[in-house]
Amino acid sequence: MPDHNDEKTYRIGEVAELLNLKTHVLRFWETEFPQLAPLRTGKGQRLYTEEHVGLLRRIQQLLHEQGMTIEGARRVLQGSAVVDENLPERVAAVPDPDFMRMLKRELTAVRRLLSGG
């Protein structure tokens, strides 16, 4: 089993540069995403593992590329929401009841048309 100290770690500045983000953004995300808890040196410096960097990349993708809210991204990362690439808002969390009723009416109408009724 590999020793934890052998694992490649990155300082906050290196990660910020790698992901083209500001360090204050990384520190903020740390407060918003509980699974993002970097290791600390004796002096309290943050050390990010490859896994942390991957998680940060995913958060960056959800927030910046897919335009999600922090809350939406948190739900996706916790697995309680499904990312649906076809939806403009990119997250299918709890469906809106009015939208679902409208969709059901449309589908019923389409079914009627198709069955020739």
Side-chain angles (χ1 to χ4, degrees):
M1 187 151 158
D3 184 20
H4 205 60
N5 296 336
D6 294 344
E7 193 175 7
K8 172 92 177 106
T9 55
Y10 305 84
R11 288 192 307 280
I12 193 165
E14 295 172 310
V15 176
E17 206 172 307
L18 203 63
L19 299 176
N20 197 22
L21 291 165
K22 300 267 187 270
T23 54
H24 71 86
V25 172
L26 298 177
R27 287 193 292 269
F28 172 66
W29 286 355
E30 195 185 315
T31 65
E32 295 294 323
F33 296 94
Q35 58 274 73
L36 188 62
L39 311 167
R40 297 284 181 145
T41 65
K43 294 180 181 159
Q45 271 194 320
R46 291 167 172 81
L47 291 177
Y48 295 89
T49 63
E50 293 281 355
E51 201 177 317
H52 289 130
V53 175
L55 182 59
L56 283 164
R57 231 184 258 283
R58 181 83 174 110
I59 292 169
Q60 182 180 30
Q61 184 191 21
L62 293 171
L63 297 180
H64 296 178
E65 292 166 33
Q66 300 192 3
M68 277 191 184
T69 60
I70 294 259
E71 182 55 43
R74 202 184 294 132
R75 281 206 301 261
V76 168
L77 292 171
Q78 288 168 346
S80 61
V82 181
V83 177
D84 184 341
E85 298 298 335
N86 302 313
L87 291 180
E89 68 277 14
R90 295 289 203 269
V91 64
V94 181
D96 174 38
D98 291 335
F99 174 76
M100 294 311 285
R101 276 193 289 276
M102 183 272 296
L103 190 62
K104 191 175 177 188
R105 279 197 302 275
E106 280 189 14
L107 290 173
T108 306
V110 168
R111 192 185 296 145
R112 222 175 287 134
L113 280 172
L114 290 174
S115 65

PDB file of all heavy atoms in Angstrom, residues 67-83:
ATOM      1  N   GLY A  67     -22.765  26.350 -16.168  1.00  0.00           N
ATOM      2  CA  GLY A  67     -23.532  27.442 -15.583  1.00  0.00           C
ATOM      3  C   GLY A  67     -24.415  27.053 -14.410  1.00  0.00           C
ATOM      4  O   GLY A  67     -25.453  27.663 -14.176  1.00  0.00           O
ATOM      5  N   MET A  68     -24.010  26.037 -13.664  1.00  0.00           N
ATOM      6  CA  MET A  68     -24.813  25.624 -12.504  1.00  0.00           C
ATOM      7  C   MET A  68     -24.582  26.541 -11.317  1.00  0.00           C
ATOM      8  O   MET A  68     -23.574  27.233 -11.244  1.00  0.00           O
ATOM      9  CB  MET A  68     -24.387  24.220 -12.059  1.00  0.00           C
ATOM     10  CG  MET A  68     -25.022  23.142 -12.822  1.00  0.00           C
ATOM     11  SD  MET A  68     -24.675  21.608 -11.954  1.00  0.00           S
ATOM     12  CE  MET A  68     -25.427  20.512 -13.113  1.00  0.00           C
ATOM     13  N   THR A  69     -25.513  26.491 -10.394  1.00  0.00           N
ATOM     14  CA  THR A  69     -25.331  27.188  -9.128  1.00  0.00           C
ATOM     15  C   THR A  69     -24.472  26.286  -8.240  1.00  0.00           C
ATOM     16  O   THR A  69     -24.345  25.093  -8.495  1.00  0.00           O
ATOM     17  CB  THR A  69     -26.684  27.412  -8.412  1.00  0.00           C
ATOM     18  OG1 THR A  69     -27.268  26.119  -8.172  1.00  0.00           O
ATOM     19  CG2 THR A  69     -27.621  28.265  -9.242  1.00  0.00           C
ATOM     20  N   ILE A  70     -23.937  26.869  -7.170  1.00  0.00           N
ATOM     21  CA  ILE A  70     -23.166  26.097  -6.187  1.00  0.00           C
ATOM     22  C   ILE A  70     -24.054  24.973  -5.645  1.00  0.00           C
ATOM     23  O   ILE A  70     -23.638  23.828  -5.553  1.00  0.00           O
ATOM     24  CB  ILE A  70     -22.707  27.008  -5.017  1.00  0.00           C
ATOM     25  CG1 ILE A  70     -21.703  28.043  -5.523  1.00  0.00           C
ATOM     26  CG2 ILE A  70     -22.201  26.194  -3.846  1.00  0.00           C
ATOM     27  CD1 ILE A  70     -20.253  27.803  -5.261  1.00  0.00           C
ATOM     28  N   GLU A  71     -25.295  25.313  -5.322  1.00  0.00           N
ATOM     29  CA  GLU A  71     -26.239  24.330  -4.767  1.00  0.00           C
ATOM     30  C   GLU A  71     -26.463  23.179  -5.753  1.00  0.00           C
ATOM     31  O   GLU A  71     -26.448  22.009  -5.378  1.00  0.00           O
ATOM     32  CB  GLU A  71     -27.566  25.026  -4.426  1.00  0.00           C
ATOM     33  CG  GLU A  71     -28.614  24.139  -3.792  1.00  0.00           C
ATOM     34  CD  GLU A  71     -28.145  23.408  -2.529  1.00  0.00           C
ATOM     35  OE1 GLU A  71     -27.471  24.033  -1.692  1.00  0.00           O
ATOM     36  OE2 GLU A  71     -28.450  22.210  -2.402  1.00  0.00           O
ATOM     37  N   GLY A  72     -26.659  23.522  -7.020  1.00  0.00           N
ATOM     38  CA  GLY A  72     -26.868  22.500  -8.047  1.00  0.00           C
ATOM     39  C   GLY A  72     -25.654  21.603  -8.198  1.00  0.00           C
ATOM     40  O   GLY A  72     -25.773  20.376  -8.265  1.00  0.00           O
ATOM     41  N   ALA A  73     -24.486  22.214  -8.224  1.00  0.00           N
ATOM     42  CA  ALA A  73     -23.242  21.448  -8.360  1.00  0.00           C
ATOM     43  C   ALA A  73     -23.046  20.541  -7.150  1.00  0.00           C
ATOM     44  O   ALA A  73     -22.635  19.396  -7.279  1.00  0.00           O
ATOM     45  CB  ALA A  73     -22.056  22.397  -8.508  1.00  0.00           C
ATOM     46  N   ARG A  74     -23.383  21.067  -5.970  1.00  0.00           N
ATOM     47  CA  ARG A  74     -23.239  20.271  -4.737  1.00  0.00           C
ATOM     48  C   ARG A  74     -24.138  19.040  -4.809  1.00  0.00           C
ATOM     49  O   ARG A  74     -23.736  17.942  -4.454  1.00  0.00           O
ATOM     50  CB  ARG A  74     -23.601  21.143  -3.525  1.00  0.00           C
ATOM     51  CG  ARG A  74     -22.994  20.626  -2.237  1.00  0.00           C
ATOM     52  CD  ARG A  74     -23.421  21.427  -1.020  1.00  0.00           C
ATOM     53  NE  ARG A  74     -22.925  22.789  -1.042  1.00  0.00           N
ATOM     54  CZ  ARG A  74     -23.687  23.863  -0.810  1.00  0.00           C
ATOM     55  NH1 ARG A  74     -24.967  23.730  -0.565  1.00  0.00           N
ATOM     56  NH2 ARG A  74     -23.160  25.054  -0.831  1.00  0.00           N
ATOM     57  N   ARG A  75     -25.368  19.226  -5.316  1.00  0.00           N
ATOM     58  CA  ARG A  75     -26.302  18.093  -5.440  1.00  0.00           C
ATOM     59  C   ARG A  75     -25.784  17.054  -6.421  1.00  0.00           C
ATOM     60  O   ARG A  75     -25.887  15.853  -6.181  1.00  0.00           O
ATOM     61  CB  ARG A  75     -27.683  18.581  -5.876  1.00  0.00           C
ATOM     62  CG  ARG A  75     -28.485  19.167  -4.733  1.00  0.00           C
ATOM     63  CD  ARG A  75     -29.980  19.047  -4.992  1.00  0.00           C
ATOM     64  NE  ARG A  75     -30.363  19.730  -6.227  1.00  0.00           N
ATOM     65  CZ  ARG A  75     -30.886  20.942  -6.284  1.00  0.00           C
ATOM     66  NH1 ARG A  75     -31.084  21.630  -5.187  1.00  0.00           N
ATOM     67  NH2 ARG A  75     -31.215  21.468  -7.436  1.00  0.00           N
ATOM     68  N   VAL A  76     -25.226  17.520  -7.534  1.00  0.00           N
ATOM     69  CA  VAL A  76     -24.687  16.591  -8.533  1.00  0.00           C
ATOM     70  C   VAL A  76     -23.543  15.789  -7.919  1.00  0.00           C
ATOM     71  O   VAL A  76     -23.478  14.571  -8.055  1.00  0.00           O
ATOM     72  CB  VAL A  76     -24.199  17.336  -9.795  1.00  0.00           C
ATOM     73  CG1 VAL A  76     -23.380  16.420 -10.695  1.00  0.00           C
ATOM     74  CG2 VAL A  76     -25.390  17.886 -10.561  1.00  0.00           C
ATOM     75  N   LEU A  77     -22.647  16.479  -7.221  1.00  0.00           N
ATOM     76  CA  LEU A  77     -21.491  15.805  -6.627  1.00  0.00           C
ATOM     77  C   LEU A  77     -21.906  14.828  -5.527  1.00  0.00           C
ATOM     78  O   LEU A  77     -21.254  13.826  -5.299  1.00  0.00           O
ATOM     79  CB  LEU A  77     -20.489  16.819  -6.090  1.00  0.00           C
ATOM     80  CG  LEU A  77     -19.778  17.647  -7.163  1.00  0.00           C
ATOM     81  CD1 LEU A  77     -18.985  18.768  -6.532  1.00  0.00           C
ATOM     82  CD2 LEU A  77     -18.880  16.780  -8.026  1.00  0.00           C
ATOM     83  N   GLN A  78     -23.006  15.130  -4.840  1.00  0.00           N
ATOM     84  CA  GLN A  78     -23.499  14.225  -3.792  1.00  0.00           C
ATOM     85  C   GLN A  78     -24.362  13.116  -4.387  1.00  0.00           C
ATOM     86  O   GLN A  78     -24.802  12.232  -3.689  1.00  0.00           O
ATOM     87  CB  GLN A  78     -24.311  15.006  -2.753  1.00  0.00           C
ATOM     88  CG  GLN A  78     -23.449  15.885  -1.866  1.00  0.00           C
ATOM     89  CD  GLN A  78     -24.255  16.868  -1.041  1.00  0.00           C
ATOM     90  OE1 GLN A  78     -25.444  17.087  -1.296  1.00  0.00           O
ATOM     91  NE2 GLN A  78     -23.621  17.487  -0.069  1.00  0.00           N
ATOM     92  N   GLY A  79     -24.622  13.215  -5.685  1.00  0.00           N
ATOM     93  CA  GLY A  79     -25.365  12.167  -6.358  1.00  0.00           C
ATOM     94  C   GLY A  79     -26.870  12.248  -6.206  1.00  0.00           C
ATOM     95  O   GLY A  79     -27.581  11.331  -6.557  1.00  0.00           O
ATOM     96  N   SER A  80     -27.390  13.389  -5.688  1.00  0.00           N
ATOM     97  CA  SER A  80     -28.842  13.488  -5.511  1.00  0.00           C
ATOM     98  C   SER A  80     -29.501  14.188  -6.693  1.00  0.00           C
ATOM     99  O   SER A  80     -30.697  14.374  -6.720  1.00  0.00           O
ATOM    100  CB  SER A  80     -29.181  14.207  -4.205  1.00  0.00           C
ATOM    101  OG  SER A  80     -28.659  15.508  -4.219  1.00  0.00           O
ATOM    102  N   ALA A  81     -28.703  14.595  -7.667  1.00  0.00           N
ATOM    103  CA  ALA A  81     -29.271  15.169  -8.890  1.00  0.00           C
ATOM    104  C   ALA A  81     -28.580  14.507 -10.064  1.00  0.00           C
ATOM    105  O   ALA A  81     -27.455  14.051  -9.959  1.00  0.00           O
ATOM    106  CB  ALA A  81     -29.055  16.684  -8.931  1.00  0.00           C
ATOM    107  N   VAL A  82     -29.258  14.481 -11.167  1.00  0.00           N
ATOM    108  CA  VAL A  82     -28.712  13.859 -12.368  1.00  0.00           C
ATOM    109  C   VAL A  82     -28.376  14.962 -13.350  1.00  0.00           C
ATOM    110  O   VAL A  82     -29.200  15.821 -13.612  1.00  0.00           O
ATOM    111  CB  VAL A  82     -29.773  12.917 -12.995  1.00  0.00           C
ATOM    112  CG1 VAL A  82     -29.203  12.249 -14.234  1.00  0.00           C
ATOM    113  CG2 VAL A  82     -30.235  11.885 -11.986  1.00  0.00           C
ATOM    114  N   VAL A  83     -27.180  14.929 -13.879  1.00  0.00           N
ATOM    115  CA  VAL A  83     -26.837  15.917 -14.894  1.00  0.00           C
ATOM    116  C   VAL A  83     -27.436  15.435 -16.206  1.00  0.00           C
ATOM    117  O   VAL A  83     -27.216  14.314 -16.618  1.00  0.00           O
ATOM    118  CB  VAL A  83     -25.310  16.063 -15.035  1.00  0.00           C
ATOM    119  CG1 VAL A  83     -24.982  17.034 -16.157  1.00  0.00           C
ATOM    120  CG2 VAL A  83     -24.703  16.550 -13.748  1.00  0.00           C
TER     121      VAL A  83
END
